[in-house]
Amino acid sequence: QEQLAESGGGLVQAGGSLRLSCEASVRTFSSFTMLTMGWFRQAPGKEREFVAAISRSGSSSDHADSVKGRFTISRDNAKNTVYLQMNSLKPEDTAVYTCAAGWTRFGAPSRNLNDYGYWGQGTQVTVSS
């Protein structure tokens, strides 16, 4: 069983919506509520970039300026799952989206890749124009 398993990617037209899910393995993460969760993406030929992150309690979140107002990160601690709701998708959102888990200071959201020690395999999101 993968430690972090993403799902929900696919092909969508510009303006459409997708919801990504990332389920954390109970075997690996017995205390999911102690983890800060994040979403990152990487487009071909580009570096991995921060998309969104959420605190361990879910009470605070952070979104990259490029997705603010269109994407929303959330989590369901009872299901060991974090979500990324993506609306008003644009072709420039095309990338492999990966979820990440880590322990951050006070459990706060973080944009720093180095704060995340666990990464999923990624799921492809393709937005056609």
Side-chain angles (χ1 to χ4, degrees):
Q1 184 180 6
E2 294 181 11
Q3 295 175 327
L4 295 172
E6 300 101 335
S7 62
L11 173 64
V12 65
Q13 288 188 333
S17 298
L18 284 174
R19 188 176 82 152
L20 305 183
S21 299
C22 172
E23 183 176 359
S25 167
V26 174
R27 287 185 184 180
T28 304
F29 304 109
S30 58
S31 299
F32 181 71
T33 55
M34 296 300 293
L35 295 167
T36 294
M37 301 297 295
W39 285 98
F40 294 80
R41 67 185 182 186
Q42 188 168 19
K46 295 187 177 181
E47 293 186 353
R48 180 175 285 176
E49 65 173 358
F50 168 78
V51 176
I54 189 165
S55 65
R56 59 191 182 192
S57 68
S59 61
S60 62
S61 62
D62 183 24
H63 297 77
D65 289 345
S66 59
V67 306
K68 201 168 290 184
R70 300 188 298 122
F71 292 9
T72 303
I73 189 171
S74 62
R75 66 189 294 163
D76 185 339
N77 285 342
K79 296 182 178 180
N80 274 28
T81 301
V82 63
Y83 305 96
L84 185 67
Q85 178 66 44
M86 305 186 295
N87 299 328
S88 301
L89 282 160
K90 304 175 181 179
E92 51 263 44
D93 294 319
T94 295
V96 175
Y97 285 71
T98 306
C99 74
W103 290 269
T104 63
R105 185 176 176 85
F106 304 121
S110 172
R111 298 188 174 202
N112 189 345
L113 280 73
N114 295 323
D115 283 337
Y116 299 89
Y118 297 91
W119 296 81
Q121 294 297 311
T123 185
Q124 176 70 45
V125 171
T126 302
V127 184
S128 62
S129 58

mmCIF file with all atom_site columns, all heavy atoms in Angstrom, residues 44 96 98:
data_model
loop_
_atom_site.group_PDB
_atom_site.id
_atom_site.type_symbol
_atom_site.label_atom_id
_atom_site.label_alt_id
_atom_site.label_comp_id
_atom_site.label_asym_id
_atom_site.label_entity_id
_atom_site.label_seq_id
_atom_site.pdbx_PDB_ins_code
_atom_site.Cartn_x
_atom_site.Cartn_y
_atom_site.Cartn_z
_atom_site.occupancy
_atom_site.B_iso_or_equiv
_atom_site.pdbx_formal_charge
_atom_site.auth_seq_id
_atom_site.auth_comp_id
_atom_site.auth_asym_id
_atom_site.auth_atom_id
_atom_site.pdbx_PDB_model_num
ATOM 1  N N   . PRO A 1 44 ? 5.896 20.040 -17.319 1.00 0.00 ? 44 PRO A N   1
ATOM 2  C CA  . PRO A 1 44 ? 7.074 19.622 -18.088 1.00 0.00 ? 44 PRO A CA  1
ATOM 3  C C   . PRO A 1 44 ? 8.071 20.758 -18.249 1.00 0.00 ? 44 PRO A C   1
ATOM 4  O O   . PRO A 1 44 ? 7.695 21.875 -18.619 1.00 0.00 ? 44 PRO A O   1
ATOM 5  C CB  . PRO A 1 44 ? 6.469 19.207 -19.436 1.00 0.00 ? 44 PRO A CB  1
ATOM 6  C CG  . PRO A 1 44 ? 5.077 18.812 -19.119 1.00 0.00 ? 44 PRO A CG  1
ATOM 7  C CD  . PRO A 1 44 ? 4.638 19.739 -18.019 1.00 0.00 ? 44 PRO A CD  1
ATOM 8  N N   . VAL A 1 96 ? 1.687 17.554 -13.242 1.00 0.00 ? 96 VAL A N   1
ATOM 9  C CA  . VAL A 1 96 ? 1.523 16.425 -12.332 1.00 0.00 ? 96 VAL A CA  1
ATOM 10 C C   . VAL A 1 96 ? 1.380 16.992 -10.936 1.00 0.00 ? 96 VAL A C   1
ATOM 11 O O   . VAL A 1 96 ? 2.242 17.743 -10.470 1.00 0.00 ? 96 VAL A O   1
ATOM 12 C CB  . VAL A 1 96 ? 2.725 15.468 -12.401 1.00 0.00 ? 96 VAL A CB  1
ATOM 13 C CG1 . VAL A 1 96 ? 2.582 14.367 -11.352 1.00 0.00 ? 96 VAL A CG1 1
ATOM 14 C CG2 . VAL A 1 96 ? 2.845 14.851 -13.784 1.00 0.00 ? 96 VAL A CG2 1
ATOM 15 N N   . THR A 1 98 ? 1.098 16.450 -6.925  1.00 0.00 ? 98 THR A N   1
ATOM 16 C CA  . THR A 1 98 ? 1.573 15.505 -5.916  1.00 0.00 ? 98 THR A CA  1
ATOM 17 C C   . THR A 1 98 ? 1.226 16.010 -4.531  1.00 0.00 ? 98 THR A C   1
ATOM 18 O O   . THR A 1 98 ? 1.410 17.198 -4.247  1.00 0.00 ? 98 THR A O   1
ATOM 19 C CB  . THR A 1 98 ? 3.094 15.329 -6.022  1.00 0.00 ? 98 THR A CB  1
ATOM 20 O OG1 . THR A 1 98 ? 3.438 14.950 -7.375  1.00 0.00 ? 98 THR A OG1 1
ATOM 21 C CG2 . THR A 1 98 ? 3.591 14.256 -5.079  1.00 0.00 ? 98 THR A CG2 1
#
